[in-house]
Amino acid sequence: KAAAVGKQFPGVPVKVLWSREEDITHDYFRPISQARGVAGIDAAGNLVALQLRVSGQSINAFNNSAAAKDGRDDRQLQGYYEKPGDAQLGYAPPNLLLEYAMRNTHLPVGPWRGVNTNQNAVYMECFIDEAAHAAGKDPLEFRRAVMGKHPKHLGVLNAAATKADWGKPLPAGVGRGIAQFMGYGSYSAAVAEVSVGKDGTVKVHRMVLALNCGHVVNPDQVAAQVEGSVAYGLSAAMHGEITVDKGRIAETNFHTYPILKLAEMPKVETVLVPTFDFWGGVGEPTICVVTPAVLNAIFAATGKRVRDLPLRNQAAMLSRA
């Protein structure tokens, strides 16, 4: 279209822009997905088996990429598998089964900052939290017990927990949640402090994030990226939703697709724990631990598990009215 318009004005520079309404309603959207987890816990409360089955759209399949073939797409399990240069899970139970079931729709899908590590961290870290609760264990200690083979994962987990004063009392009504994950060559962990109002409104008061990206050249720039990750992740967790009504995208602008407001932004503290033995990413890794840390904190505050996002749709379930 831009070329067709430009041809009408030979020799004159022409700038053509989509309106925000056109952009939102005709974009490539983040893939929809869901997961089912099963855990085996022995009499001592140890994790001895873990199965997680993820189902959802494949970006590679939509793009007709050779990376998605015969219903298989390793990219959809980002953060779960280990290959040269790729992420690894961080947990090492004696029995482990990770699966992906490709379920595509006609809606166009594409990468969202952090791509598949975002939902995969939610599935894994919220389920690990549920397993810890079922075992009667502290969520931090439960994770530590099954991370012995992954010292870099454990390093960021401990750094975030220490900085966030894990285990110390919080004000009444405030819950604390934790999560860890790896993606884009870096190791991340987060602790969130959250309260839930009587009407079910979620308030994130504080987030502590630890990052090991190997080498750190500019600490201030890395911290800025982490802070931006929190804003990005919380915006999606609390508000982000695209719906289809009679074949059309219903959301058209910020009045129907809200983003995080300044008043909703928590205090963010960044802990850098570089091991100076590799070069990892900074722009995308820490987004994925934001949402599971918040969801686990909501459970700590209310005793209720959120299993669907965004949080603005969960107010009725979380309310105490």
Side-chain angles (χ1 to χ4, degrees), residues 48-79:
V48 296
L50 176 63
Q51 176 188 3
L52 196 71
R53 181 177 176 86
V54 179
S55 175
Q57 292 168 280
S58 162
I59 297 171
N60 284 334
F62 180 79
N63 292 328
N64 296 314
S65 168
K69 186 177 180 181
D70 300 326
R72 300 172 61 89
D73 183 4
D74 287 349
R75 187 187 193 188
Q76 297 304 123
L77 293 179
Q78 275 185 299

Side-chain angles (χ1 to χ4, degrees), residues 14-300:
V14 177
K15 184 177 183 179
V16 181
L17 291 175
W18 278 19
S19 68
R20 180 171 290 121
E21 287 77 7
E22 290 173 319
D23 188 32
I24 291 177
T25 57
H26 295 83
D27 209 340
Y28 288 80
F29 304 103
R30 184 180 177 185
I32 190 171
S33 68
Q34 61 181 4
R36 179 178 182 268
V38 179
I41 300 171
D42 65 16
N46 300 310
L47 183 68
V48 296
L50 176 63
Q51 176 188 3
L52 196 71
R53 181 177 176 86
V54 179
S55 175
Q57 292 168 280
S58 162
I59 297 171
N60 284 334
F62 180 79
N63 292 328
N64 296 314
S65 168
K69 186 177 180 181
D70 300 326
R72 300 172 61 89
D73 183 4
D74 287 349
R75 187 187 193 188
Q76 297 304 123
L77 293 179
Q78 275 185 299
Y80 292 165
Y81 55 85
E82 184 175 5
K83 290 182 179 180
D86 289 333
Q88 56 189 10
L89 179 60
Y91 302 118
N95 304 283
L96 178 65
L97 176 61
L98 302 170
E99 301 174 292
Y100 169 62
M102 188 183 294
R103 299 291 184 268
N104 295 318
T105 77
H106 65 285
L107 287 178
V109 291
W112 187 83
R113 186 180 172 198
V115 197
N116 299 302
T117 59
N118 294 307
Q119 64 263 28
N120 288 345
V122 170
Y123 299 146
M124 181 60 68
E125 288 304 294
C126 289
F127 186 60
I128 287 290
D129 221 69
E130 291 199 38
H133 179 73
K137 297 286 189 71
D138 174 82
L140 173 60
E141 297 303 328
F142 187 79
R143 285 173 170 81
R144 284 171 170 167
V146 74
M147 295 178 73
K149 295 182 180 180
H150 301 285
K152 287 186 171 68
H153 289 264
L154 184 59
V156 292
L157 184 77
N158 287 336
T162 298
K163 179 67 174 178
D165 299 318
W166 186 270
K168 292 186 178 180
L170 287 167
V174 179
R176 187 184 279 129
I178 195 166
Q180 70 80 32
F181 214 62
M182 183 193 176
Y184 302 93
S186 294
Y187 303 80
S188 304
V191 175
E193 295 177 5
V194 174
S195 65
V196 179
K198 187 177 180 181
D199 62 352
T201 301
V202 174
K203 174 66 176 177
V204 183
H205 300 274
R206 178 192 183 204
M207 292 210 69
V208 176
L209 290 95
L211 175 69
N212 178 6
C213 54
H215 295 275
V216 174
V217 177
N218 186 331
D220 288 340
Q221 180 62 34
V222 174
Q225 288 285 336
V226 172
E227 292 159 4
S229 292
V230 173
Y232 209 77
L234 281 181
S235 191
M238 300 184 76
H239 303 295
E241 182 180 40
I242 289 291
T243 56
V244 181
D245 181 22
K246 297 178 182 177
R248 296 178 64 88
I249 301 301
E251 290 73 26
T252 59
N253 211 314
F254 292 138
H255 68 293
T256 48
Y257 189 86
I259 60 175
L260 197 74
K261 297 180 173 63
L262 284 173
E264 297 173 300
M265 184 68 184
K267 176 183 179 182
V268 180
E269 299 170 48
T270 302
V271 185
L272 303 182
V273 286
T275 49
F276 301 106
D277 56 344
F278 65 95
W279 290 95
V282 171
E284 294 182 282
T286 50
I287 302 172
C288 66
V289 291
V290 172
T291 299
V294 168
L295 297 184
N296 291 337
I298 290 173
F299 174 76

